[in-house]
Amino acid sequence: MKRTALLHAELSHAIASLGHGDMLVIGDVGLPIPPGPRRIDLALTPGIPSTAEVLKAVLSEMQVERAVIATEAVERTGGDLPDWCSLPVKPETVTHAHFKQLCREARVMVRTGECTPYANVLLIAGVTF
């Protein structure tokens, strides 16, 4: 029996379906979702749920090998990682335009209620062994 923090059935199933190297994106309300990736919309109201809340829940179930965020997110915080960015690996940074191109290759895109610009993270699945 599963005993993790993630209650959203569709998101839990999507994470369980990821293979090594598959990408899952957690995005703010302004991040465009291209055709192709599975879309899971969690947004309820502005700010709810936040990127940090969704990221924490996803990380409770997903083995992350690599992560990518936009350089603009780091620049907005004066060169530090954003406070929502509690990742088990140091994220790679790419321009926001490149980040949006990478989203086209994602298997899953999760839309949060986050309204902070560039509060997006791309997670690349690892393996548990």
Side-chain angles (χ1 to χ4, degrees):
M1 177 178 250
K2 183 178 149 204
R3 297 191 183 270
T4 60
L6 195 53
L7 299 176
H8 192 277
E10 187 179 2
L11 181 53
S12 184
H13 180 266
I15 292 169
S17 301
L18 294 175
H20 183 234
D22 285 343
M23 295 185 288
L24 178 143
V25 177
I26 299 171
D28 60 37
V29 295
L31 183 65
I33 298 178
R38 180 177 179 179
R39 168 189 220 134
I40 300 175
D41 193 343
L42 302 178
L44 297 173
T45 61
I48 299 174
S50 69
T51 297
E53 291 168 324
V54 174
L55 180 59
K56 181 179 178 183
V58 167
L59 291 176
S60 74
E61 290 202 4
M62 182 179 174
Q63 180 71 33
V64 175
E65 182 174 285
R66 293 177 29 229
V68 180
I69 63 172
T71 53
E72 291 86 344
V74 177
E75 291 167 356
R76 289 178 60 86
T77 59
D80 296 322
L81 287 178
D83 58 359
W84 55 262
C85 196
S86 58
L87 295 164
V89 296
K90 182 177 178 176
E92 301 168 32
T93 56
V94 298
T95 66
H96 188 59
H98 187 220
F99 186 93
K100 290 192 292 187
Q101 288 177 337
L102 290 173
C103 289
R104 294 182 191 146
E105 301 171 32
R107 293 244 349 249
V108 180
M109 289 197 63
V110 181
R111 183 174 174 259
T112 69
E114 184 73 54
C115 294
T116 305
Y118 309 112
N120 310 303
V121 60
L122 185 146
L123 305 173
I124 300 166
V127 291
T128 58
F129 55 86

